[in-house]
């Protein structure tokens, strides 16, 4: 799953694909590098940065979806949003998957996915509102908390009409969690896989990797690839990443080792 941020203030690419022409070129490149899914988002995840209205998010995301759908009829197009209004227009424009990174903050979003027969990503944020950074989060058992929440959300999604094969669960590293929590979830990937729901891992250049290694955001590639390899070995199904080419090589290597 290749990331396309239609934002001027992304924590990693700092607006590299904010302009539509740049986003189009990036989509071409990510597909060339081996992406099966393109994930398009119009709002920065963290609380730092400007407020983005629903209308502005739609203006950023939808032209990208429309172009990608026209250029790549068989591509799986995902839209990263927590707003049902955005999800509605995105599905009308041809999106196949709604990546609800904020764990049902808008309960109507899963209904939209079911209405269109789109896929749906079930996330865990520890109850935080969208674009809220964690502050001293506490869990008695973070892995069990995540499993309970995402599997409950997965069952709810199916009950709303989302195709069972279109449901993904995402432990959502760093969202509502500190570095210890995120590392524990990575170590416990096998427990997530054992739920029977396909697991999406969004590990790319995350803060928990940087804090573990003492590196800034520009020097987390090796840590990201190591984390992806560990998750792949444990059976994770989808990887949301910035660097598709390196991830593709990493996953191919893991596959060769275990085949």
């Amino acid at each position: 799953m290749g990331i396309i941020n239609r934002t001027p203030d992304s924590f990693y690419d700092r607006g590299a694909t904010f302009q539509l022409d740049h986003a189009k070129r990036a989509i071409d490149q990510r597909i060339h590098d081996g992406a099966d899914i393109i994930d398009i988002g119009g709002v920065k995840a963290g609380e730092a940065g400007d407020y983005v209205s629903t209308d502005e998010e739609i203006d950023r995301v939808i032209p990208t979806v429309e172009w990608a759908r026209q250029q790549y009829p068989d591509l799986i197009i995902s839209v990263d949003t927590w707003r049902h209004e955005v999800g509605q227009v995105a599905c009308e424009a041809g999106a196949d998957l709604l990546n609800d990174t904020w764990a049902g903050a808008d309960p109507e979003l899963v209904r939209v996915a079911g209405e269109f027969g789109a896929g749906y990503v079930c996330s865990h944020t520890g109850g935080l509102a969208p674009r809220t950074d964690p502050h001293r989060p506490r869990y008695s058992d973070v892995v069990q908390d995540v499993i309970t929440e995402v599997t409950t959300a997965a069952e709810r999604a199916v009950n709303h009409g989302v195709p069972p094969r279109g449901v993904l669960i995402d432990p959502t590293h760093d969202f509502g969690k500190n570095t210890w929590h995120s590392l524990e979830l990575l170590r416990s990937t096998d427990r997530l896989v054992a739920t029977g729901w396909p697991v999406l891992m969004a590990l790319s250049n995350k803060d928990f990797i940087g804090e573990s290694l003492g590196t800034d955001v520009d020097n987390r590639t090796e840590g990201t690839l190591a984390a992806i390899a560990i998750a792949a070995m444990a059976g994770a199904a989808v990887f949301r990443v910035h660097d598709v080419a390196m991830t593709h090589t990493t996953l191919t290597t893991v596959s060769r080792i275990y085949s």
Side-chain angles (χ1 to χ4, degrees), residues 105-162:
D106 180 347
E108 290 299 303
L109 184 59
V110 69
R111 179 193 60 77
V112 170
E115 176 186 338
F116 284 90
Y120 185 76
V121 178
C122 303
S123 303
H124 175 281
T125 63
L128 292 185
R131 300 195 69 187
T132 302
D133 292 338
H135 178 68
R136 296 182 178 176
R138 293 171 181 250
Y139 301 93
S140 58
D141 183 339
V142 67
V143 178
Q144 189 56 54
D145 197 281
V146 168
I147 288 173
T148 298
E149 182 167 322
V150 297
T151 56
T152 299
E155 292 163 2
R156 185 185 307 119
V158 173
N159 289 337
H160 276 83
V162 177

Side-chain angles (χ1 to χ4, degrees), residues 25-258:
R25 288 196 291 271
I27 291 171
D28 288 337
Q29 186 63 53
R30 283 159 178 59
I31 293 171
H32 176 268
D33 289 342
D36 303 295
I37 308 168
I38 294 295
D39 188 51
I40 303 165
V43 183
K44 182 180 180 180
E47 61 186 355
D50 294 337
Y51 170 77
V52 179
S53 69
T54 301
D55 287 343
E56 175 63 20
E57 185 180 357
I58 289 172
D59 288 344
R60 292 177 179 184
V61 168
I62 300 308
T64 324
V65 174
E66 292 174 336
W67 178 87
R69 181 79 294 147
Q70 182 178 24
Q71 294 297 120
Y72 298 99
D74 298 325
L75 176 68
I76 300 173
I77 299 173
S78 170
V79 170
D80 183 348
T81 187
W82 74 86
R83 291 165 165 156
H84 79 273
E85 299 93 341
V86 179
Q88 175 89 26
V89 183
C91 287
E92 290 171 352
D96 305 291
L97 176 68
L98 297 179
N99 184 6
D100 183 6
T101 310
W102 289 102
D106 180 347
E108 290 299 303
L109 184 59
V110 69
R111 179 193 60 77
V112 170
E115 176 186 338
F116 284 90
Y120 185 76
V121 178
C122 303
S123 303
H124 175 281
T125 63
L128 292 185
R131 300 195 69 187
T132 302
D133 292 338
H135 178 68
R136 296 182 178 176
R138 293 171 181 250
Y139 301 93
S140 58
D141 183 339
V142 67
V143 178
Q144 189 56 54
D145 197 281
V146 168
I147 288 173
T148 298
E149 182 167 322
V150 297
T151 56
T152 299
E155 292 163 2
R156 185 185 307 119
V158 173
N159 289 337
H160 276 83
V162 177
R165 293 184 62 213
V167 176
L168 297 167
I169 60 171
D170 178 4
T172 328
H173 294 77
D174 283 356
F175 284 53
K177 304 167 189 72
N178 61 26
T179 291
W180 189 92
H181 296 138
S182 291
L183 289 171
E184 185 64 15
L185 284 163
L186 180 59
R187 296 184 193 105
S188 303
T189 301
D190 58 339
R191 289 178 60 186
L192 291 159
V193 171
T195 67
W197 298 101
V199 177
L200 183 151
M201 285 285 185
L203 306 170
S204 187
N205 298 294
K206 285 287 181 77
D207 285 345
F208 83 94
I209 293 173
E211 290 180 4
S212 297
L213 299 175
T215 57
D216 61 23
V217 71
D218 296 319
N219 293 285
R220 299 175 183 176
T221 299
E222 294 89 344
T224 293
L225 296 175
I228 287 171
I230 288 168
M233 290 164 62
V238 180
F239 298 86
R240 182 180 183 273
V241 297
H242 299 96
D243 193 320
V244 171
M246 287 189 179
T247 302
H248 190 272
T249 299
T250 299
L251 295 175
T252 300
T253 303
V254 172
S255 177
R256 296 291 185 271
I257 292 169
Y258 281 88

